[in-house]
Amino acid sequence: MNGRTRPTCLVAAALAFGAVARSPAQNTSLDPTAALLAELIRVNTSNPPGNTSGIAALLGPRLKALGLEVDIVQTPDSGKAHLIARLRGDGSKRPVLLAAHADVVGVEPEKWTVDPFAGVVKDGYVYGRGAIDFKGGMAVFARAVMLLAERKIPLARDVIFVAEADEEGGRYNTAWLAREQWEKIDCEFALNEGGWIMKRDDGSVRYVSISTADKSSVALTLTALGTSTHSSMPRPDNAIFTLSRALAKLADYETPVRLTPSTRQFFATLARTSGPPMSDQFRNLLTDDPALVRQADREISKDPLLHALMRNTIAPVTMNAGFRNNVIPGSAEATINMRVIPGTDQSELVRELERVIGDPRVTVRLGGGRGGGAGAGRAGVDTTRPARGVAGGAGGGGGRSASQPSPEDTELFRALSKEARAQFSGADVTPYLFQAGTDAGAWRSRGVPVYGIYPYPISADELTRMHGNDERVSIESLRQGTEMIFRTLVDVAKR
């Protein structure tokens, strides 16, 4: 749909947005990005069921009033929709895209100190599910695009904003969108969730990491066999005990350190921005001395995030065994979710776990078990394989592996790096391998470079709240992130 308006209408729409975005319950001086985030949180998009149509209904009219062309792409699930908004440039350059997922993971409300879907603003923070992952990013991206429209920045390229469905697990994610509506999201390069802007204890920014690739999600199923019989006559080949012993061996096993080029740059950045003794450990990790690497690994791995960056990780996620209290089952099954470094051979993963378990009664195979879901990445698909119909898409520069890193020599990467340094003086900027999966594969597998960032400074404590309890992001961080992303868009898109 064409949403162009006359300049006088544009000003009125901008003023109307400022009034609507602030809840009567909130301080009228609340930062516009924080106000928008609070509203986004109040639309409950927990997945499942992941009903994101409310986000499209919230953002669509506001973006259209500012002159953006707005398309609502309805999925076969009536509650799920993708919003695609395009701010037109003169077309002399190809579009830049900003993608943010509208769905969020569920909550344990009794463990929160606030209503997770009330968009509570207190003590300088916006609280709620999705504040960090990734409605905060959606608010920053949307406000940055709105500012381009409000300030009538002349553009050489279209700027596309996408609010996506089903990233947190579902079939109608960006892989589906790329198959159905590629011409609406085709672009030269894109911003997505991914890297971190991490704060020190004093609030200053320590580093900015921009993800150029994601780890992939691989599901492995362990099946232990035994004799099915009456529970009053247990036998030595009990399948549940056998499976338990296999899992205990995996719990004691540490996969080897594997550093990609971007991960090496990231740890070199940590070495420069850390004090001793950790600065020495980060430097030792990058040496060729196996003893120093092992020692550094032990110390660095005390941080779960850094542990995950250095290796393929093993996490049991579901178990299935038995059906009656008085029957010993003949089999027991566990699903293992492995997050693997790009280029990992999946068949070698099977052999690796078989060697560690060392029990012929336990089989290891690729794919999720009866529990389901564990083989899905955060985008709801096995991101180690491009989705059907994705590779070699039109206009995307040819097919490539979704796990292949995006290059660092693009206009967008350079602009984001420059503006991050300008926004956070003294902070190092580094490429990064994202420790989880995102929905960026829909673009990367078509040859479109994607750069990931959670566009607001957060602390280590705030990072632990993501997917946890009392998720929050500071109002000041949202303001800073909006400024950074706005200037990045001006750098790459201004005529």
Side-chain angles (χ1 to χ4, degrees):
M1 294 180 288
N2 191 316
R4 296 184 182 276
T5 59
R6 294 190 299 271
T8 55
C9 296
L10 186 66
V11 174
L15 293 173
F17 167 74
V20 171
R22 292 187 285 268
S23 165
Q26 307 295 349
N27 188 323
T28 56
S29 64
L30 186 60
D31 175 83
T33 304
L36 179 58
L37 173 56
E39 287 194 275
L40 293 170
I41 288 171
R42 293 180 195 124
V43 182
N44 187 340
T45 56
S46 299
N47 200 351
N51 293 331
T52 55
S53 295
I55 296 295
L58 173 67
L59 291 177
R62 300 180 187 186
L63 294 168
K64 185 176 180 181
L66 288 170
L68 281 79
E69 301 170 11
V70 175
D71 282 303
I72 308 298
V73 179
Q74 182 60 55
T75 74
D77 184 325
S78 61
K80 298 179 180 182
H82 298 265
L83 176 143
I84 304 173
R86 182 183 294 260
L87 183 62
R88 289 283 181 183
D90 65 15
S92 58
K93 294 183 178 181
R94 296 188 60 232
V96 57
L97 179 140
L98 300 90
H101 64 87
D103 59 329
V104 297
V105 296
V107 299
E108 299 174 288
E110 71 280 359
K111 296 181 180 178
W112 286 60
T113 63
V114 298
D115 182 341
F117 298 106
V120 173
V121 179
K122 68 173 186 175
D123 303 326
Y125 290 88
V126 182
Y127 284 77
R129 176 56 85 220
I132 291 179
D133 186 22
F134 187 62
K135 286 183 176 178
M138 177 179 290
V140 168
F141 287 173
R143 279 297 305 156
V145 176
M146 288 174 174
L147 286 171
L148 290 176
E150 290 168 357
R151 299 180 186 181
K152 301 181 178 63
I153 304 296
L155 301 175
R157 62 173 92 240
D158 293 359
V159 178
I160 307 170
F161 169 77
V162 178
E164 314 154 3
D166 263 358
E167 194 273 349
E168 294 289 3
R171 63 186 300 184
Y172 300 117
N173 51 32
T174 55
W176 178 89
L177 183 63
R179 289 196 300 269
E180 300 295 323
Q181 302 284 345
W182 176 247
E183 71 283 357
K184 294 180 180 178
I185 60 173
D186 186 13
C187 55
E188 182 173 341
F189 31 51
L191 290 178
N192 196 8
E193 67 177 328
W196 309 103
I197 306 174
M198 296 303 298
K199 294 191 292 188
R200 298 183 179 91
D201 292 340
D202 64 4
S204 64
V205 170
R206 180 183 177 193
Y207 65 81
V208 179
S209 60
I210 303 170
S211 58
T212 56
D214 300 342
K215 291 180 80 174
S216 300
S217 179
V218 176
L220 297 171
T221 299
L222 275 55
T223 304
L225 301 179
T227 300
S228 179
T229 186
H230 198 284
S231 61
S232 65
M233 297 177 291
R235 296 167 56 94
D237 64 347
N238 184 292
I240 295 177
F241 284 155
T242 301
L243 179 63
S244 299
R245 285 188 288 269
L247 292 174
K249 289 180 180 179
L250 292 182
D252 291 335
Y253 174 65
E254 192 67 279
T255 57
V257 171
R258 289 181 56 191
L259 301 181
T260 67
S262 64
T263 308
R264 295 186 71 86
Q265 289 185 59
F266 174 72
F267 281 110
T269 297
L270 293 187
R272 291 192 301 271
T273 59
S274 304
M278 287 309 301
S279 56
D280 295 329
Q281 299 295 353
F282 292 132
R283 278 189 284 269
N284 289 341
L285 182 70
L286 302 175
T287 68
D288 296 325
D289 186 325
L292 289 177
V293 171
R294 284 194 298 272
Q295 173 61 27
D297 181 18
R298 283 193 293 271
E299 294 302 315
I300 295 170
S301 287
K302 293 176 182 178
D303 183 320
L305 172 61
L306 300 184
H307 173 266
L309 292 177
M310 293 188 286
R311 54 176 36 86
N312 298 329
T313 57
I314 302 172
V317 288
T318 65
M319 296 180 67
N320 290 282
F323 62 97
R324 288 182 63 91
N325 288 341
N326 61 352
V327 177
I328 296 174
S331 64
E333 183 179 275
T335 302
I336 305 297
N337 180 229
M338 295 194 69
R339 299 300 175 111
V340 301
I341 291 170
T344 299
D345 184 337
Q346 293 190 22
S347 59
E348 177 54 33
L349 292 178
V350 172
R351 292 190 290 270
E352 182 179 2
L353 266 60
E354 287 175 337
R355 288 193 299 269
V356 173
I357 293 169
D359 189 334
R361 295 172 297 176
V362 179
T363 61
V364 182
R365 62 178 176 83
L366 287 168
R370 286 179 289 166
R378 297 183 67 244
V381 294
D382 183 350
T383 55
T384 59
R385 295 186 298 273
R388 178 176 57 85
V390 169
R400 61 188 284 167
S401 168
S403 64
Q404 188 173 346
S406 297
E408 299 168 31
D409 61 351
T410 67
E411 190 178 350
L412 180 56
F413 185 88
R414 290 192 296 268
L416 182 56
S417 299
K418 183 189 82 170
E419 297 304 341
R421 290 187 179 94
Q423 188 71 47
F424 308 110
S425 179
D428 273 52
V429 179
T430 176
Y432 183 73
L433 170 65
F434 191 55
Q435 79 282 352
T438 72
D439 44 10
W443 288 277
R444 281 198 181 115
S445 58
R446 289 177 179 248
V448 175
V450 182
Y451 305 102
I453 192 164
Y454 284 81
Y456 21 72
I458 60 172
S459 66
D461 170 71
E462 287 154 2
L463 179 58
T464 65
R465 297 169 184 247
M466 188 177 81
H467 284 211
N469 304 319
D470 284 353
E471 186 177 353
R472 70 181 190 181
V473 64
S474 82
I475 294 171
E476 175 62 12
S477 289
L478 291 166
R479 184 194 66 78
Q480 292 174 319
T482 303
E483 288 182 357
M484 179 186 70
I485 297 300
F486 169 71
R487 293 198 311 269
T488 298
L489 293 177
V490 171
D491 288 349
V492 300
K494 186 177 179 180
R495 189 167 61 237

